[in-house]
Amino acid sequence: KSDERLAIAMGYWSMREVSSACGFPRGPAAGRASRIPALSSTRRSKLLLAFASSSIHEVGETANRLKPSTTVAISDLATEMKREGKDVISLAPGEPDFATPERVARAGGLAIEEGRTKYSPNAGIADLREAIVAKLERENGITGLIPTDSVVVTNGAKQAIAETILAACSPGDEVVVPSPYWVSYPEMARLAGADPVVVRTRLEDNFLLTPEGLEGETIPPPFWPNQAIVD
């Protein structure tokens, strides 16, 4: 029964494909979930492999709009080159080259020990949002923010930008992406059904958008990523 539920939950509309992949007898009964025998670990692995390679499961329209991550591809290539003993400096994932600060690590461990491991409010822990408002006032001169209304905590800038685009954009909208840019930004626009428009920026402008830049040259797709391997 558990294997029957597994096969059905995995989305196999044709159980004949499951039977064939796992080496079960073919025939009229092969298409009936109730006739699937108990799976050994080997056959269970074959079932999972058949599911992964099945042509039955088509990617949805939203996923089809997205391009593979160049960052991940370069990061994987750098990792493989390091395993081959090559001296590689990878600038792909944007990770710091230092360990998590000790006081941050201690605070995280203390939170676990104190049992603060449950779901937090969607907008973030209240104390943290208050601390963010205080920081913005103290260091950035931004005043008038209300922790309960003006601040949402995310796992990083990319999540914040992605959620903002999803909330603000609709199919047919255009999203201006200043270049150089993180390669995820055009895909965030596509995820929302919008069209990314990449605009060049200049070093002398600190790579910031200017009114003249917005009226100037745009980069037509496909947008070449701003990453490369330097030999």
Side-chain angles (χ1 to χ4, degrees), residues 160-231:
I161 294 173
E163 292 183 354
T164 300
I165 291 176
L166 287 171
C169 297
S170 301
D173 289 344
E174 291 185 340
V175 177
V176 174
V177 181
S179 175
Y181 58 89
W182 199 247
V183 294
S184 302
Y185 295 159
E187 305 313 313
M188 293 175 186
R190 293 190 180 101
L191 185 63
D195 299 315
V197 178
V198 177
V199 176
R200 297 184 188 276
T201 59
R202 304 184 305 170
L203 173 61
E204 49 266 38
D205 296 323
N206 292 322
F207 297 111
L208 299 175
L209 284 174
T210 63
E212 296 76 20
L214 287 173
E215 296 176 355
E217 179 186 6
T218 60
I219 303 175
F223 310 126
W224 298 109
N226 298 287
Q227 294 168 304
I229 295 179
V230 179
D231 189 352

